[in-house]
Amino acid sequence: MLSYSTQLIEEDDIEAVTEVLRGNLLAQGPKVEEFENQLASYVNTKYAVAFNSATSALFALYSAYEIAQDDEIITTPISFVATSNMFVTLGAKPIWCDVKLDGNIDANKIEALITPKTKAIVPVDFAGKPVAIEAIKAIAKKHNLLVIQDSSHALGSSIEEEKIGAFADATVFSFHAIKPITTSEGGIVVTNDAGIAQKLKLFRSHGIVKKQFWNSDMLRMGYNLRMTEVAAALGISQLKKLDRFIARRNEIAEYYDQRFSDAKLFLTQKIEPNQITSRHLYPIILNPELHCPKEEIFHTLQQRGLGVQVHYKPIYQNSYYKEHFGEVSLPVANDFYKSEISIPCNQTMNMEDAKYVADTVLEVLQQYNYRGCSF
Ligand SMILES: *Cc1c(COP(=O)(O)O)cnc(C)c1O
């Protein structure tokens, strides 16, 4: 099965991990710090604070910014639930902003959603495609709001050769197994704000600072959200390969773009000429006449060996969100969910695999074209 996204673990990754396993330190130590320094330097920020997941990183970050009861956060429904879960758990309310057909938040629709309770804007770089971050920052500046970028898909993506990471007040990346690079599970916050970095470090480790000899002091409430040395060693090794992984995924994506350039039954995600995308996902957006047979299309593609997936069910359509925040319905996000399929595009694939995927997608969609919606 060719997966929509998967890890690539090579011999040197395994060596890096076993070297740590043979040593004395397994919990957070110098490897974590080395990984943080390398990642901060890769995205060109002053600070990076690593966590055991991006979910933990988001939780720590929203907490560090003191997001709390009754705050409103403007965000996108086309994301993994963790983006909003981690501020909802602090008592804040999600204010959903509709998306564009590329899956990214529609910056033109943000300002109308701002109220005196709005605290932050949280965009997601869907599939790795950078959001319109300058437009979002301008709105945030005008209304004195934070911009927290959930770039879990977008490590290595850039705008005008500047890596995603240094644009927002703080940015989160995920190292979950199938994200652009992996630490098995892991996440990180990057920022240029020394105060926030300090709070994050306390928060991830019980709020404790070491004093002299055995003495330590707990200054703030904290948890254990630390990354392990084992994970960090894998991260250091994987970071060296990130640009190679991105180049391969882009090679495949550019081939798809070309094969699909005159496709009539679906759209693809268009990347601006001044942007580079990590191509964490390669989404195709089906025309409305293919919405009804989508389940059959999905099933047929899987039977033909394409490990496809759908990203994402709008977060507001989940039971928890309906129960707590009522029914929400945004036209483009609803449509996007009906239309989207992520097809295989990962760094383990060769160009023959890509040809098979493109041929199969075109052939299968053509088969269902006549069906339409018959109720
Ligand atoms: C994967 C993902 C997360 C959560 O990352 P974990 O490291 O699995 O906790 C959050 N937001 C988005 C957009 C993601 O894709």
Side-chain angles (χ1 to χ4, degrees):
M1 190 85 118
L2 297 167
S3 183
Y4 69 92
S5 180
T6 189
Q7 71 272 22
L8 175 55
I9 301 294
E10 296 168 316
E11 243 357 272
D12 55 340
D13 295 311
I14 294 168
E15 268 165 38
V17 166
T18 46
E19 191 191 306
V20 169
L21 288 172
R22 285 179 219 284
N24 291 323
L25 268 176
L26 294 183
Q28 184 183 296
K31 289 279 179 204
V32 172
E33 199 176 331
E34 187 183 333
F35 181 49
E36 290 171 337
N37 291 338
Q38 289 185 7
L39 201 115
S41 141
Y42 181 84
V43 300
N44 198 22
T45 57
K46 286 195 189 131
Y47 309 100
V49 184
F51 291 86
N52 56 11
S53 72
T55 304
S56 298
L58 285 163
F59 179 49
L61 189 56
Y62 295 141
S63 302
Y65 280 122
E66 294 174 20
I67 284 165
Q69 204 69 37
D70 297 329
D71 286 343
E72 294 182 352
I73 311 292
I74 297 173
T75 190
T76 169
I78 299 297
S79 183
F80 185 59
V81 290
T83 308
S84 54
N85 279 358
M86 289 302 103
F87 63 72
V88 167
T89 200
L90 296 171
K93 185 179 174 198
I95 305 297
W96 304 110
C97 181
D98 210 352
V99 296
K100 298 176 286 131
L101 274 181
D102 63 0
N104 275 343
I105 197 165
D106 189 343
N108 294 322
K109 296 186 177 151
I110 292 175
E111 214 163 2
L113 301 172
I114 295 172
T115 76
K117 290 181 173 174
T118 309
K119 185 93 187 256
I121 305 169
V122 182
V124 171
D125 310 278
F126 179 76
K129 178 181 173 176
V131 291
I133 192 69
E134 291 304 340
I136 294 169
K137 276 168 68 175
I139 296 165
K141 193 171 175 203
K142 185 170 155 199
H143 297 273
N144 197 22
L145 305 173
L146 292 162
V147 180
I148 297 171
Q149 201 168 356
D150 181 349
S151 300
S152 291
H153 298 184
L155 181 63
S157 298
S158 60
I159 304 171
E160 304 277 2
E161 286 171 28
E162 264 187 77
K163 292 268 168 22
I164 299 291
F167 292 98
D169 292 294
T171 301
V172 172
F173 298 110
S174 172
F175 310 117
H176 173 275
I178 61 157
K179 294 289 162 75
I181 59 167
T182 188
T183 61
S184 70
E185 294 268 17
I188 207 161
V189 177
V190 295
T191 182
N192 285 322
D193 184 330
I196 286 297
Q198 195 51 37
K199 283 181 184 165
L200 292 171
K201 284 182 179 172
L202 284 171
F203 193 86
R204 77 173 166 190
S205 198
H206 312 286
I208 287 177
V209 287
K210 291 219 159 62
K211 299 209 130 174
Q212 229 188 348
F213 300 114
W214 58 83
N215 191 18
S216 65
D217 195 18
M218 185 191 139
L219 304 174
R220 301 167 63 91
M221 184 46 69
Y223 294 74
N224 176 356
L225 308 174
R226 296 182 304 249
M227 178 176 274
T228 68
E229 288 291 270
V230 182
L234 182 54
I236 292 165
S237 179
Q238 288 263 302
L239 188 54
K240 297 190 189 113
K241 306 164 183 211
L242 173 59
D243 290 342
R244 165 160 63 93
F245 290 176
I246 291 175
R248 168 48 59 92
R249 292 194 294 259
N250 270 286
E251 204 183 332
I252 295 165
E254 277 157 28
Y255 171 75
Y256 289 163
D257 284 350
Q258 182 202 322
R259 287 293 307 275
F260 300 155
S261 60
D262 55 1
K264 304 265 181 316
L265 296 172
F266 62 95
L267 299 171
T268 58
Q269 196 187 38
K270 301 288 178 292
I271 308 303
E272 321 296 335
N274 67 345
Q275 297 182 335
I276 292 172
T277 161
S278 66
R279 291 284 188 189
H280 166 54
L281 303 173
Y282 188 95
I284 63 170
I285 312 300
L286 304 178
N287 285 2
E289 62 266 30
L290 290 177
H291 288 178
C292 292
K294 184 173 168 184
E295 279 182 16
E296 282 178 71
I297 292 169
F298 187 89
H299 184 65
T300 307
L301 290 173
Q302 288 210 323
Q303 279 182 326
R304 299 282 294 270
L306 271 56
V308 288
Q309 186 51 278
V310 171
H311 299 94
Y312 291 95
K313 175 170 165 170
I315 297 176
Y316 54 70
Q317 285 187 19
N318 285 282
S319 300
Y320 175 92
Y321 280 86
K322 285 199 246 180
E323 274 163 38
H324 288 79
F325 302 103
E327 295 279 342
V328 177
S329 177
L330 296 176
V332 186
N334 288 354
D335 239 37
F336 192 81
Y337 177 47
K338 289 184 197 145
S339 310
E340 202 270 354
I341 299 180
S342 301
I343 66 170
C345 180
N346 69 63
Q347 63 274 13
T348 70
M349 289 167 58
N350 59 36
M351 295 318 284
E352 242 170 84
D353 297 328
K355 181 174 185 306
Y356 175 73
V357 171
D359 289 345
T360 307
V361 165
L362 289 170
E363 188 201 319
V364 169
L365 293 191
Q366 197 51 49
Q367 278 173 37
Y368 286 95
N369 182 27
Y370 67 95
R371 290 268 188 109
C373 294
S374 56
F375 54 81

mmCIF file of all heavy atoms in Angstrom, residues 100-117:
data_model
loop_
_atom_site.group_PDB
_atom_site.id
_atom_site.type_symbol
_atom_site.label_atom_id
_atom_site.label_comp_id
_atom_site.label_asym_id
_atom_site.label_seq_id
_atom_site.Cartn_x
_atom_site.Cartn_y
_atom_site.Cartn_z
ATOM 1 N N LYS A 100 -10.420 28.508 2.251
ATOM 2 C CA LYS A 100 -10.452 28.649 0.792
ATOM 3 C C LYS A 100 -10.353 27.232 0.202
ATOM 4 O O LYS A 100 -10.143 26.265 0.929
ATOM 5 C CB LYS A 100 -9.275 29.509 0.325
ATOM 6 C CG LYS A 100 -9.315 30.933 0.869
ATOM 7 C CD LYS A 100 -8.084 31.724 0.451
ATOM 8 C CE LYS A 100 -6.870 31.273 1.234
ATOM 9 N NZ LYS A 100 -5.677 30.969 0.529
ATOM 10 N N LEU A 101 -10.416 27.154 -1.108
ATOM 11 C CA LEU A 101 -10.397 25.828 -1.745
ATOM 12 C C LEU A 101 -9.038 25.137 -1.641
ATOM 13 O O LEU A 101 -8.913 23.957 -1.973
ATOM 14 C CB LEU A 101 -10.824 25.925 -3.206
ATOM 15 C CG LEU A 101 -12.344 25.869 -3.412
ATOM 16 C CD1 LEU A 101 -12.692 25.950 -4.889
ATOM 17 C CD2 LEU A 101 -12.949 24.590 -2.798
ATOM 18 N N ASP A 102 -8.018 25.855 -1.158
ATOM 19 C CA ASP A 102 -6.723 25.195 -0.921
ATOM 20 C C ASP A 102 -6.651 24.623 0.499
ATOM 21 O O ASP A 102 -5.631 24.064 0.897
ATOM 22 C CB ASP A 102 -5.559 26.155 -1.183
ATOM 23 C CG ASP A 102 -5.543 27.350 -0.246
ATOM 24 O OD1 ASP A 102 -6.446 27.456 0.625
ATOM 25 O OD2 ASP A 102 -4.636 28.194 -0.380
ATOM 26 N N GLY A 103 -7.726 24.789 1.277
ATOM 27 C CA GLY A 103 -7.767 24.230 2.626
ATOM 28 C C GLY A 103 -7.247 25.177 3.696
ATOM 29 O O GLY A 103 -7.365 24.895 4.890
ATOM 30 N N ASN A 104 -6.681 26.313 3.279
ATOM 31 C CA ASN A 104 -6.160 27.267 4.263
ATOM 32 C C ASN A 104 -7.225 28.290 4.662
ATOM 33 O O ASN A 104 -8.115 28.629 3.870
ATOM 34 C CB ASN A 104 -4.934 27.998 3.701
ATOM 35 C CG ASN A 104 -3.650 27.205 3.908
ATOM 36 O OD1 ASN A 104 -3.607 26.277 4.724
ATOM 37 N ND2 ASN A 104 -2.613 27.552 3.169
ATOM 38 N N ILE A 105 -7.095 28.815 5.877
ATOM 39 C CA ILE A 105 -8.013 29.817 6.408
ATOM 40 C C ILE A 105 -8.127 30.987 5.420
ATOM 41 O O ILE A 105 -7.137 31.371 4.785
ATOM 42 C CB ILE A 105 -7.523 30.293 7.803
ATOM 43 C CG1 ILE A 105 -8.616 31.011 8.585
ATOM 44 C CG2 ILE A 105 -6.266 31.172 7.689
ATOM 45 C CD1 ILE A 105 -8.286 31.154 10.085
ATOM 46 N N ASP A 106 -9.345 31.504 5.272
ATOM 47 C CA ASP A 106 -9.579 32.631 4.364
ATOM 48 C C ASP A 106 -9.338 33.928 5.138
ATOM 49 O O ASP A 106 -10.200 34.387 5.896
ATOM 50 C CB ASP A 106 -11.012 32.564 3.830
ATOM 51 C CG ASP A 106 -11.259 33.570 2.724
ATOM 52 O OD1 ASP A 106 -10.448 34.528 2.590
ATOM 53 O OD2 ASP A 106 -12.254 33.410 1.996
ATOM 54 N N ALA A 107 -8.166 34.516 4.946
ATOM 55 C CA ALA A 107 -7.768 35.697 5.729
ATOM 56 C C ALA A 107 -8.763 36.850 5.571
ATOM 57 O O ALA A 107 -8.926 37.660 6.486
ATOM 58 C CB ALA A 107 -6.358 36.138 5.338
ATOM 59 N N ASN A 108 -9.452 36.898 4.427
ATOM 60 C CA ASN A 108 -10.432 37.978 4.205
ATOM 61 C C ASN A 108 -11.643 37.875 5.132
ATOM 62 O O ASN A 108 -12.407 38.820 5.253
ATOM 63 C CB ASN A 108 -10.945 37.951 2.758
ATOM 64 C CG ASN A 108 -9.837 38.287 1.790
ATOM 65 O OD1 ASN A 108 -9.000 39.141 2.067
ATOM 66 N ND2 ASN A 108 -9.813 37.591 0.663
ATOM 67 N N LYS A 109 -11.837 36.710 5.725
ATOM 68 C CA LYS A 109 -13.026 36.511 6.574
ATOM 69 C C LYS A 109 -12.711 36.621 8.067
ATOM 70 O O LYS A 109 -13.583 36.425 8.900
ATOM 71 C CB LYS A 109 -13.660 35.151 6.261
ATOM 72 C CG LYS A 109 -14.188 35.089 4.832
ATOM 73 C CD LYS A 109 -14.950 33.818 4.557
ATOM 74 C CE LYS A 109 -15.509 33.863 3.119
ATOM 75 N NZ LYS A 109 -15.648 32.523 2.556
ATOM 76 N N ILE A 110 -11.458 36.911 8.401
ATOM 77 C CA ILE A 110 -11.063 36.923 9.824
ATOM 78 C C ILE A 110 -11.603 38.145 10.551
ATOM 79 O O ILE A 110 -12.187 38.044 11.632
ATOM 80 C CB ILE A 110 -9.522 36.846 9.969
ATOM 81 C CG1 ILE A 110 -9.018 35.468 9.515
ATOM 82 C CG2 ILE A 110 -9.098 37.124 11.415
ATOM 83 C CD1 ILE A 110 -7.503 35.316 9.500
ATOM 84 N N GLU A 111 -11.428 39.319 9.947
ATOM 85 C CA GLU A 111 -11.674 40.561 10.689
ATOM 86 C C GLU A 111 -13.121 40.653 11.196
ATOM 87 O O GLU A 111 -13.363 41.138 12.302
ATOM 88 C CB GLU A 111 -11.297 41.774 9.829
ATOM 89 C CG GLU A 111 -10.744 42.885 10.681
ATOM 90 C CD GLU A 111 -9.973 43.942 9.899
ATOM 91 O OE1 GLU A 111 -9.895 43.838 8.655
ATOM 92 O OE2 GLU A 111 -9.472 44.872 10.557
ATOM 93 N N ALA A 112 -14.064 40.161 10.395
ATOM 94 C CA ALA A 112 -15.481 40.219 10.788
ATOM 95 C C ALA A 112 -15.760 39.384 12.037
ATOM 96 O O ALA A 112 -16.799 39.554 12.678
ATOM 97 C CB ALA A 112 -16.350 39.734 9.628
ATOM 98 N N LEU A 113 -14.855 38.491 12.393
ATOM 99 C CA LEU A 113 -15.085 37.596 13.532
ATOM 100 C C LEU A 113 -14.500 38.124 14.840
ATOM 101 O O LEU A 113 -14.698 37.537 15.902
ATOM 102 C CB LEU A 113 -14.478 36.208 13.229
ATOM 103 C CG LEU A 113 -15.019 35.500 11.978
ATOM 104 C CD1 LEU A 113 -14.201 34.248 11.673
ATOM 105 C CD2 LEU A 113 -16.491 35.141 12.173
ATOM 106 N N ILE A 114 -13.765 39.230 14.741
ATOM 107 C CA ILE A 114 -13.078 39.753 15.934
ATOM 108 C C ILE A 114 -14.070 40.457 16.868
ATOM 109 O O ILE A 114 -14.929 41.197 16.417
ATOM 110 C CB ILE A 114 -11.938 40.720 15.505
ATOM 111 C CG1 ILE A 114 -10.868 39.931 14.738
ATOM 112 C CG2 ILE A 114 -11.331 41.431 16.707
ATOM 113 C CD1 ILE A 114 -9.794 40.794 14.101
ATOM 114 N N THR A 115 -13.950 40.151 18.161
ATOM 115 C CA THR A 115 -14.765 40.813 19.194
ATOM 116 C C THR A 115 -13.804 41.272 20.298
ATOM 117 O O THR A 115 -12.614 40.953 20.249
ATOM 118 C CB THR A 115 -15.793 39.841 19.839
ATOM 119 O OG1 THR A 115 -15.083 38.978 20.739
ATOM 120 C CG2 THR A 115 -16.555 39.026 18.809
ATOM 121 N N PRO A 116 -14.330 41.997 21.306
ATOM 122 C CA PRO A 116 -13.431 42.386 22.414
ATOM 123 C C PRO A 116 -12.832 41.177 23.146
ATOM 124 O O PRO A 116 -11.836 41.323 23.853
ATOM 125 C CB PRO A 116 -14.346 43.186 23.345
ATOM 126 C CG PRO A 116 -15.442 43.681 22.459
ATOM 127 C CD PRO A 116 -15.653 42.627 21.413
ATOM 128 N N LYS A 117 -13.438 39.995 22.986
ATOM 129 C CA LYS A 117 -12.924 38.803 23.682
ATOM 130 C C LYS A 117 -11.847 38.068 22.887
ATOM 131 O O LYS A 117 -11.231 37.125 23.394
ATOM 132 C CB LYS A 117 -14.064 37.827 23.949
ATOM 133 C CG LYS A 117 -15.051 38.316 24.995
ATOM 134 C CD LYS A 117 -16.130 37.255 25.189
ATOM 135 C CE LYS A 117 -17.044 37.637 26.347
ATOM 136 N NZ LYS A 117 -18.161 36.679 26.442
#
